[in-house]
Amino acid sequence: MNVTSTPTVGGSVRSLPRPRRRRTDRAHRGITAAIFLSPTLLVIGLFTMVPMIMTIVISFHRWSMFTPITDMDFVGFDNYARLLNDSARVQAIANTGVYVLLSVLITVPLAFLIAMLLYFPRLRGRNVVRVILFATYVIPTIAIVIIWSNIYAPGYGPLSAMVQAIGLTPPGWLSDPQWALLSLVIFNVWQMLGYYVILLVAGLTQIPEELYEAAKVDGAGIVRQTWSITLPMLSGSLVFVVLMTIINSIQVFDPIYLLTQGGPAGSTNVVSFEIQRSAFQYGQAGDASALAVSLFMLIVLVGVVLNAILKVRKR
Amino acid sequence: MKKHTWLSGLGIAAAVALVATGCSSSGGSDSGSTELTFLTHWGPDQVTMLEEAASAFTEENPDITVKVQAVPFANLLSTLRTQGASADGPTIAGIYDAWLPELARDGLAAEAPADVAKDVEENWPEGVVSAASQDGKVYGIPNEIDLYQLNYNTALFEEAGIAEAPTNWDELVTAAEAITATAPDRQGIGFITSWNSGAVHPFLSLLASNGGSFLNAAGDAADLESPEALETAELYQQLVDAGLTDPSMSGANANTTGPYLDNFVNGKTGMIIMANWWEGSLKDAMGDDFANVATAPIPVGPSGDVSSSISYSWDTIVNGNASDEKQEAAWKFLSWLNGPDSGENGSSAMGDILISMGILPSRVSDVDAHAEALSSEFLSSYVTAMETATPFPTVLGASAAADALQRQIEALLNGQADAATAMKTATTDVDAALTAAR
Amino acid sequence: MSRSRIRPRTLAQRTLLYVLLIIVAAVPLFPLYWLVISAFKTPAEFVSIPPTWFPTSPTLDQVESALTDVPFAQSMLNSVIIAGGATISVLVTSILAGYVFAKYHFRGKNLMFWSIVATMFLPPIVTLVPLYYLINSMGLSDSYIGVLLPWLANAFGIFLMRQFIMDVPDELIEAARMDGASEFRIVWQFVVPLIKPAVVTLAVFMFVFSWNNFLWPLTILRTEAMYPVVLTLNRLMSYTMSFDYQNVVIAGALIASLPTLIVFLISQRVFVQGIASSGVKG
């Protein structure tokens, strides 16, 4: 990028060559880059990467956290070997998998349909609806779980009342082991949907009109248009939404910690809660760290796989 | 790009060096006054009372001051874990007795000096003293004791035509049947779920009243496949199968309120086994209807002779990592706080604070000093039950073991497992938890 | 440039679509509505069967209690300090770093960039304890700085800024360089004005994230006087088991929900557009 001649346009009558162009000097730019980057690198290196390394180190030890970190007992790969021995932990992994799967299966199609509803037909008030949808994302989780525990309450909760009003028996939303996880998924979908809808609406704006015009000329109906035009053209955004949903739901913690504490019968125990409980309740920081490292590797794996799929599709 | 990689490399190296060299400079001993930190989970009213007591102590002991650090109960243990080991961690902590084995093992709970230990052994009941000890050595001064009794709604009993509280399990089932039959949205008896103590302690109380035990004598394995334990699980199964208890009506929130409380208040639950400290909530919620609440001993099972409730207690411990000077000052303060001179009418200041929360003090002289408050209709049953109470085991891994048992109890209540399977799985999981902790 | 081409022809079509729209609006709205009315219900009404859809005798008692029992005003100030500090810092670091990643070339740039992005995938619980240890050993636990340190830079922010700065024409920057502008000036005078929507987006995102974050301040802060709003609400939740207190907690939740909601509503047009564009390029 050492091009020195730029066409002087209009008012830039500074045609006298500059004596030294030190500001664009490569070395100078190197220093600038260093200055610009170092706060970021320092903070992220120090407060994300170093703790990550420490977590890996802790995962090879036994530590109750009541003793200084320098007093840990080394146990090698013991914690990893025993990872799947504990039935609560296995349940946590299984529950997390179900939670992620349900979240993706419910969120993505729903977000897609709502995005289409908010984009294609010219309806009045759809901007307001977009704002309302997004508002659920900005409120602190701790504030919103408080009211949801009432919404999910048996008998006096509005959800149970509405179900009863149509003649069905309401399930124990948070007390029935078969429903509790699903109730939390519903909560998660409610909270995050707006964010994904906005993303997909943006993706829809990128699709050229002409494609739809052409299809209509060919006599294609709405369903056909959606299938052959909208979905393929939106695939980039859809993949992004799927990825974000997976990452967000794998990390879920606040609702479990604040609403169900892993119960009932361990049906809402997820990996992040199990990590927290193993470390802080049972004093098994080593086991917790091993589980955490495994979780991170799993997330990276998912990212790599999705990336590979994307690359294959682009071909 | 050597400059910036060098810069960041330096940053990372600095960080690692910092970590490797461990903690920062410690607080050091102050010349003159010693400041102690008291970590507690109490609410604002009790914190105020504690601070007042601390000021009174400082008046008589000008070189010792006490600062109170209050955190929500749910965060108490995690606070101890993150802050306990550092040099400026809390000097004194109010702990749940189940946490003692770990704290003692890791040095966060210091052994009580001989005179304090003697004072504890002489003035507190044996069960509570043993819960505050490890290997025969006293580590903390007990304060609060909590236990469970059968709470029941006399108005519902009357409606169902039951004259007296059930004293054994057959009567319990009969009473539950009668109450459930009075209205379609009622349950004869409620069993709490989604909250560890609420699920596990009543179950173990019934087990204890059936002559059984949670763990074996050595405390290193479960005793849940004994005939007594199976009978207890079968009682639960019987009540579930007959529709006399509905788990959705007795769930708890993470902050331990929730449907189980609301439904007893609303008169939808006939009986529930609960601890003494919910008296205040019941009074607030029920208003005049509180007169309908009565308490009775845990019904005795077919294989048992004596009604026995599970009990657990709270202790105040001194941080073994604190300087000798601070530890000495801390024991001095705690002895005074729990002694008969610090409160009113022969009670300790601690006793006064506990009674204000509607909580049972465990020191014998405190129980005597507050005999009147403790003789209320609601509490007297609990006070009497203190004698025959079975302390919840305080051994390493008890917390994980209790969670394992909770899962099976909840599975049992939701019809996901039958009595035998639940107890079998519980035994396996509890054993695994106890072994993992050693 | 909204291209909604389909104007629903028939009345039936239009009705159907509007019904759907109302449903889509009602679902997120209902719990928020429930939050508002519950804060003004009496405790007895709150658990009445069947539930009431509007408070029969609204009362301000709970809101009053919530405001006086815990220092909400103080905690709002704390949250502003923490969230404000984090937001400003993230904006500065992300813009500068994003500029370098977007416009400079050097060996190892991509590796560095994607390593930073990879940290986005790290669940916060994983590094909680080591991070606490690190900051505690610097003597910074229980301080505003301690809370802020991990939040001074943000991988998502860098990712976002790079995306948008990549779209700024190189010619513009070259021209500015030719005129003798320092890199610093180029960034703030030329680049930033062109990516304003993204900057506002990042600001709102980071503000909301640091305001709502619960786990980290819970771990690092000890003194109640420094608690942000979410921790104060947590404290309120635990005060007593009292039945009456449920509604006070709900009132507290309502109070705690307002600030981020207001910030969002003020900036929503730009924010929503900014998020939308980030997703498309990602």
Side-chain angles (χ1 to χ4, degrees):
Chain A
M1 281 261 309
N2 272 339
V3 179
T4 54
S5 62
T6 345
T8 47
V9 181
S12 184
V13 190
R14 293 184 217 164
S15 40
L16 286 172
R18 302 211 152 263
R20 342 153 248 161
R21 298 227 292 210
R22 9 171 220 163
R23 301 217 192 260
T24 54
D25 187 58
R26 244 184 162 199
H28 185 267
R29 233 192 290 171
I31 298 176
T32 317
I35 296 176
F36 281 10
L37 278 181
S38 36
T40 301
L41 290 176
L42 197 64
V43 170
I44 293 190
L46 200 51
F47 298 118
T48 309
M49 306 220 174
V50 169
M52 182 63 197
I53 296 171
M54 285 168 72
T55 303
I56 296 176
V57 170
I58 296 174
S59 73
F60 295 117
H61 293 77
R62 285 196 79 165
W63 185 40
S64 71
M65 293 194 282
F66 283 144
T67 53
I69 198 168
T70 42
D71 277 1
M72 302 189 289
D73 301 317
F74 182 72
V75 290
F77 278 95
D78 205 30
N79 296 332
Y80 288 95
R82 289 182 308 119
L83 204 60
L84 297 177
N85 279 358
D86 180 65
S87 67
R89 218 166 283 155
V90 173
Q91 194 180 21
I93 295 171
N95 287 339
T96 309
V98 172
Y99 185 88
V100 171
L101 193 65
L102 284 177
S103 292
V104 173
L105 286 179
I106 297 178
T107 307
V108 180
L110 203 55
F112 176 65
L113 292 172
I114 295 178
M116 293 224 296
L117 178 70
L118 291 183
Y119 178 69
F120 287 115
R122 192 178 303 178
L123 299 171
R124 235 179 285 169
R126 58 192 178 153
N127 281 330
V128 174
V129 177
R130 243 171 35 165
V131 171
I132 293 176
L133 273 170
F134 203 86
T136 62
Y137 177 67
V138 300
I139 298 182
T141 307
I142 183 174
I144 211 66
V145 295
I146 291 175
I147 197 62
W148 271 83
S149 77
N150 175 259
I151 291 177
Y152 273 143
Y156 55 86
L159 209 55
S160 298
M162 291 194 275
V163 170
Q164 257 174 338
I166 59 175
L168 302 167
T169 13
W173 305 105
L174 293 178
S175 60
D176 187 341
Q178 311 211 307
W179 272 90
L181 195 62
L182 184 61
S183 302
L184 289 182
V185 171
I186 294 173
F187 171 76
N188 184 42
V189 172
W190 175 87
Q191 197 183 21
M192 301 297 294
L193 200 60
Y195 181 75
Y196 301 127
V197 166
I198 306 272
L199 284 174
L200 291 178
V201 168
L204 288 173
T205 61
Q206 306 283 102
I207 306 177
E209 278 263 18
E210 303 79 56
L211 292 177
Y212 290 107
E213 299 298 325
K216 259 193 252 175
V217 165
D218 287 348
I222 293 187
V223 175
R224 190 82 214 282
Q225 287 177 39
T226 311
W227 187 255
S228 333
I229 303 175
T230 315
L231 278 177
M233 295 296 293
L234 204 57
S235 58
S237 305
L238 281 171
V239 169
F240 185 71
V241 167
V242 170
L243 187 65
M244 296 300 321
T245 313
I246 292 177
I247 291 174
N248 277 325
S249 43
I250 277 188
Q251 298 179 1
V252 66
F253 178 78
D254 286 1
I256 284 100
Y257 180 73
L258 295 167
L259 267 180
T260 58
Q261 291 270 306
S267 58
T268 59
N269 191 14
V270 291
V271 173
S272 58
F273 182 72
E274 181 66 26
I275 291 173
Q276 197 264 0
R277 189 167 64 176
S278 288
F280 288 95
Q281 279 266 78
Y282 305 158
Q284 294 170 338
D287 286 319
S289 299
L291 190 55
V293 170
S294 309
L295 177 67
F296 179 60
M297 310 254 273
L298 192 65
I299 294 177
V300 170
L301 190 67
V302 168
V304 166
V305 166
L306 271 175
N307 201 34
I309 293 180
L310 253 175
K311 285 216 174 99
V312 168
R313 292 202 72 198
K314 280 218 175 111
R315 261 184 236 143
Chain B
M1 289 293 103
K2 291 187 194 147
K3 272 234 165 97
H4 92 269
T5 41
W6 189 73
L7 205 74
S8 29
L10 194 67
I12 293 177
V16 175
L18 257 171
V19 174
T21 52
C23 312
S24 62
S25 56
S26 82
S29 52
D30 307 69
S31 56
S33 86
T34 318
E35 196 194 56
L36 312 171
T37 337
F38 190 123
L39 178 66
T40 176
H41 69 296
W42 288 337
D45 295 332
Q46 283 68 44
V47 167
T48 312
M49 291 175 75
L50 181 59
E51 285 170 341
E52 281 167 11
S55 313
F57 180 77
T58 307
E59 268 177 40
E60 289 172 38
N61 302 274
D63 46 343
I64 304 177
T65 51
V66 180
K67 195 176 83 154
V68 178
Q69 180 191 351
V71 298
F73 166 66
N75 307 125
L76 184 57
L77 182 58
S78 50
T79 307
L80 266 172
R81 285 203 200 272
T82 45
Q83 296 170 12
S86 65
D88 50 352
T91 336
I92 300 172
I95 62 157
Y96 179 19
D97 61 12
W99 305 337
L100 186 62
E102 228 190 325
L103 291 166
R105 178 196 69 188
D106 291 339
L108 238 78
E111 234 183 280
D115 54 339
V116 176
K118 187 154 168 286
D119 180 38
V120 170
E121 281 158 2
E122 280 173 6
N123 292 300
W124 270 268
E126 199 198 318
V128 174
V129 174
S130 68
S133 315
Q134 290 286 291
D135 293 332
K137 301 190 205 108
V138 175
Y139 277 85
I141 304 183
N143 50 71
E144 157 185 348
I145 183 172
D146 303 286
L147 54 160
Y148 295 77
Q149 294 282 276
L150 186 72
N151 285 237
Y152 62 100
N153 189 320
T154 51
L156 288 180
F157 266 43
E158 229 184 277
E159 205 184 312
I162 310 167
E164 280 176 11
T167 55
N168 61 46
W169 291 7
D170 289 330
E171 288 173 15
L172 181 67
V173 176
T174 318
E177 274 169 354
I179 296 173
T180 314
T182 56
D185 58 349
R186 284 188 190 154
Q187 59 169 354
I189 181 163
F191 288 112
I192 304 171
T193 59
S194 291
W195 167 34
N196 183 263
S197 303
V200 170
H201 291 175
F203 179 86
L204 292 180
S205 299
L206 286 167
L207 176 59
S209 304
N210 196 31
S213 166
F214 179 30
L215 303 178
N216 61 11
D220 58 7
D223 195 17
L224 294 171
E225 288 191 282
S226 62
E228 293 87 8
L230 265 147
E231 279 172 345
T232 316
E234 278 160 7
L235 171 70
Y236 271 51
Q237 191 176 350
Q238 183 185 9
L239 291 163
V240 168
D241 290 342
L244 306 177
T245 181
D246 180 5
S248 73
M249 287 175 70
S250 307
N253 294 333
N255 64 338
T256 72
T257 52
Y260 80 94
L261 169 65
D262 301 327
N263 282 316
F264 188 72
V265 163
N266 276 340
K268 303 248 176 287
T269 304
M271 302 179 273
I272 189 166
I273 297 178
M274 245 311 271
N276 50 291
W277 45 260
W278 82 331
E279 184 190 9
S281 304
L282 287 180
K283 277 197 189 143
D284 284 339
M286 297 178 84
D288 291 331
D289 285 341
F290 182 71
N292 293 333
V293 175
T295 56
I298 310 277
V300 177
S303 309
D305 314 301
V306 173
S307 168
S308 176
S309 153
I310 287 290
S311 70
Y312 63 92
S313 55
W314 282 72
D315 311 318
T316 40
I317 55 161
V318 172
N319 192 335
N321 291 329
S323 69
D324 290 336
E325 193 191 334
K326 283 196 179 183
Q327 286 189 46
E328 208 189 305
W331 286 116
K332 199 165 172 205
F333 173 64
L334 287 177
S335 301
W336 174 87
L337 185 71
N338 289 286
D341 300 325
S342 52
E344 317 204 353
N345 300 327
S347 162
S348 65
M350 177 64 82
D352 289 337
I353 296 176
L354 295 175
I355 290 284
S356 76
M357 292 192 272
I359 287 177
L360 297 178
S362 53
R363 186 179 172 123
V364 174
S365 53
D366 284 344
V367 174
D368 290 335
H370 292 278
E372 214 189 300
L374 295 175
S375 62
S376 73
E377 261 190 61
F378 186 86
L379 280 180
S380 53
S381 186
Y382 286 94
V383 176
T384 325
M386 274 165 72
E387 278 171 61
T388 53
T390 312
F392 187 82
T394 55
V395 295
L396 283 171
S399 179
D403 284 346
L405 180 58
Q406 178 193 359
R407 279 197 294 281
Q408 294 314 308
I409 292 175
E410 287 170 351
L412 189 56
L413 285 170
N414 282 288
Q416 289 181 318
D418 67 4
T421 323
M423 290 299 100
K424 187 159 185 284
T425 319
T427 308
T428 320
D429 290 346
V430 166
D431 286 344
L434 292 173
T435 327
R438 267 136 226 290
Chain C
M1 192 201 38
S2 80
R3 283 177 294 161
S4 45
R5 295 142 290 109
I6 304 173
R7 198 165 304 163
R9 304 277 160 83
T10 68
L11 184 63
Q13 276 181 349
R14 233 184 309 169
T15 319
L16 176 65
L17 288 172
Y18 271 107
V19 164
L20 282 175
L21 195 65
I22 290 173
I23 295 175
V24 168
V27 170
L29 207 50
F30 177 71
L32 301 179
Y33 167 73
W34 200 252
L35 175 61
V36 172
I37 59 165
S38 300
F40 299 107
K41 283 186 185 174
T42 62
E45 197 186 341
F46 187 54
V47 294
S48 63
I49 302 175
T52 55
W53 305 93
F54 194 81
T56 49
S57 41
T59 162
L60 277 177
D61 286 349
Q62 277 87 239
V63 178
E64 252 185 77
S65 286
L67 286 172
T68 48
D69 287 351
V70 285
F72 260 119
Q74 169 77 32
S75 65
M76 295 264 178
L77 190 63
N78 292 331
S79 284
V80 167
I81 294 174
I82 295 172
T87 305
I88 293 173
S89 174
V90 164
L91 283 180
V92 170
T93 54
S94 300
I95 290 174
L96 292 178
Y99 177 68
V100 170
F101 283 121
K103 293 299 176 189
Y104 286 18
H105 305 283
F106 52 88
R107 204 182 295 169
K109 177 181 84 156
N110 276 332
L111 179 65
M112 192 183 297
F113 177 71
W114 289 108
S115 306
I116 292 178
V117 170
T119 65
M120 260 168 64
F121 297 175
L122 202 62
I125 192 75
V126 168
T127 51
L128 195 66
V129 172
L131 190 58
Y132 172 81
Y133 253 82
L134 202 51
I135 300 208
N136 191 41
S137 61
M138 296 181 193
L140 291 172
S141 66
D142 204 28
S143 67
Y144 290 122
I145 299 180
V147 180
L148 280 172
L149 275 178
W151 292 345
L152 293 179
N154 185 287
F156 177 73
I158 297 167
F159 181 74
L160 193 67
M161 289 296 103
R162 172 182 173 265
Q163 287 292 96
F164 279 83
I165 295 178
M166 284 198 322
D167 285 347
V168 172
D170 291 341
E171 296 81 48
L172 188 72
I173 297 176
E174 266 307 306
R177 284 198 189 121
M178 294 271 264
D179 290 348
S182 71
E183 293 297 286
F184 199 72
R185 247 186 78 193
I186 292 178
V187 172
W188 297 106
Q189 217 175 319
F190 294 96
V191 175
V192 170
L194 289 177
I195 57 169
K196 235 198 255 173
V199 173
V200 173
T201 301
L202 180 57
V204 175
F205 164 79
M206 194 62 202
F207 187 83
V208 168
F209 167 76
S210 44
W211 185 284
N212 293 351
N213 195 292
F214 172 70
L215 206 52
W216 172 240
L218 184 69
T219 310
I220 196 76
L221 287 176
R222 236 174 290 174
T223 317
E224 219 179 308
M226 286 199 277
Y227 277 6
V229 172
V230 287
L231 288 191
T232 306
L233 184 58
N234 186 43
R235 187 93 182 87
L236 186 65
M237 272 175 82
S238 67
Y239 265 174
T240 66
M241 234 198 86
S242 167
F243 176 83
D244 285 350
Y245 230 77
Q246 291 184 70
N247 285 67
V248 177
V249 174
I250 298 218
L254 181 60
I255 296 169
S257 304
L258 291 176
T260 41
L261 207 52
I262 292 173
V263 167
F264 164 63
L265 286 174
I266 292 174
S267 59
Q268 56 94 3
R269 169 158 289 170
V270 186
F271 186 33
V272 164
Q273 269 176 10
I275 284 276
S277 319
S278 81
V280 170
K281 289 166 214 247

